Amino acid sequence: MRRTLIAGNWKMNGSLATNAALLSEIIAGMPVAPSRDVVVCAPFPYLAQCADTLAGTVVSLGAQDVSVHAQGAFTGDVSASMLSDFSCGYVIVGHSERRAYHAEDDALVAQKVLRVLDLNMTPILCVGEMLEQRESGQTNEVVAAQLNAVLDVLTSDHLSRLVVAYEPVWAIGTGKTATPQMAQDVHAFLRQQIAAKSSDSAELVQIVYGGSMKPDNANELLQMPDIDGGLIGGAALKAVDFLAIIAAV
Ligand code: 13P
C-alpha cells in the first residue's frame, strides 16, 4: 500500500512572522501519528527557520528547486548538499513555473532529479500539460515526454524513490481542477509509463495531484486509486485548509 503524501508548495510567499504562525498552527493541528506523509516546501531563505521549527515534529521539510550543479561559480543557485544541510527531505523539481519562467527543459530537470537522489532526498517531479495541449488531445504525449526524460536517466534503485506530481498547468492557481476521473486517467497512464521500466517500482511510486486542490475537492480526488496525495499551492498557506486536506479521506 502506498502512503498518501500531502505536500504544501508555498511558492514565493511568507515572512519570518507569517511562517512562524502558519507552522505553529499546522503542528498544533497534526495528528500524533499521521497515516500520511506531510511536507512543507518553503522558499530558500526560510529553510533554516522551518528546519528549526519542524525538528522533532511529524511534518517534513522540502525545497522548491535545486541547482543542477554540485558547487562552484553559480551565483544565486542553491545546491542539493545545501538543502540537505538544512534537513530537507524533499525537493520539488521541474515545477511548471520553473519550466515557464526559467526555461527549464526536460534534460535539465532530469539532471536535477539525479542531484536530489544522490543526496538521499526525495524529488517531487512535476509534469503537466498546458490548456491548448489538453484541448488538442496531447496530454498523454506531453506528460510521457516529461516523465520519460527522467526515467531514462534513473537506475531501478532511484526509481522507487521518485515522487511524481501531475499538475495540469491550466489548473494551477486558477480555481479550475481536473475532475477526479481526468486526474485518475493521467495518473494511471503515468504509472503505466513507470511500469514499463519496472513494474515493482510502479506500485511503490507516489503520484500526487496538484492544481487548485482544496478542502472541498480533496476527498474525491484522494479517493481515486492512482492519486496518492496532493501538491498544494494556495490552500497550503492557510493552516485550516492545509489541515483539512491532510484529514480528507
Ligand atoms: P494551487 O494549489 O495554488 O493551484 O497550486 C498548485 C501548485 O502549483 C503546487 O505546486
Side-chain angles (χ1 to χ4, degrees):
M1 258 311 266
R2 294 180 295 272
R3 277 172 69 87
T4 298
L5 168 68
I6 304 294
N9 175 8
W10 289 0
K11 308 194 179 184
M12 198 173 71
N13 293 293
S15 67
L16 287 172
T18 60
N19 300 343
L22 178 57
L23 288 179
S24 77
E25 261 194 85
I26 292 171
I27 293 164
M30 284 292 295
V32 181
S35 57
R36 304 187 153 173
D37 300 331
V38 176
V39 183
V40 294
C41 298
F44 292 141
Y46 298 123
L47 291 176
Q49 176 198 20
C50 295
D52 284 349
T53 308
L54 296 176
T57 74
V58 291
V59 180
S60 301
L61 180 60
Q64 299 172 15
D65 183 35
V66 65
S67 173
V68 71
H69 304 288
Q71 62 172 49
F74 301 101
T75 302
D77 279 359
V78 173
S79 71
S81 64
M82 294 173 184
L83 300 180
S84 178
D85 262 352
F86 285 92
S87 312
C88 286
Y90 293 80
V91 184
I92 297 170
V93 182
H95 192 281
S96 60
E97 289 150 15
R98 301 289 317 169
R99 293 179 191 259
Y101 307 143
H102 299 270
E104 295 197 3
D105 62 15
D106 290 339
L108 180 83
V109 169
Q111 292 305 311
K112 288 187 172 194
V113 167
L114 284 179
R115 286 280 172 222
V116 173
L117 288 166
D118 281 348
L119 272 289
N120 289 318
M121 299 179 289
T122 301
I124 302 177
L125 167 68
C126 300
V127 300
E129 81 288 1
M130 290 182 285
L131 184 59
E132 55 275 24
Q133 293 168 324
R134 170 160 288 271
E135 285 174 343
S136 60
Q138 290 175 286
T139 298
N140 283 0
E141 192 185 320
V142 169
V143 298
Q146 291 170 333
L147 177 63
N148 284 314
V150 173
L151 298 184
D152 286 349
V153 302
L154 298 187
T155 64
S156 52
D157 163 55
H158 282 150
L159 193 51
S160 55
R161 293 164 46 212
L162 183 68
V163 171
V164 178
Y166 169 55
E167 298 208 311
V169 178
W170 47 270
I172 295 176
T174 58
K176 290 185 195 153
T177 324
T179 64
Q181 192 58 52
M182 276 159 83
Q184 164 61 26
D185 289 348
V186 179
H187 283 231
F189 174 76
L190 290 168
R191 203 176 301 287
Q192 273 170 24
Q193 299 292 301
I194 300 168
K197 306 276 175 188
S198 158
S199 50
D200 289 348
S201 298
E203 288 309 308
L204 296 173
V205 170
Q206 291 165 314
I207 306 180
V208 304
Y209 171 81
S212 300
M213 194 188 265
K214 310 276 181 218
D216 62 2
N217 60 26
N219 272 337
E220 47 178 12
L221 284 160
L222 294 174
Q223 274 166 19
M224 303 309 280
D226 287 292
I227 300 184
D228 306 317
L231 183 56
I232 324 293
L237 298 171
K238 277 178 147 179
V240 58
D241 286 355
F242 193 54
L243 288 166
I245 294 172
I246 292 165
V249 284

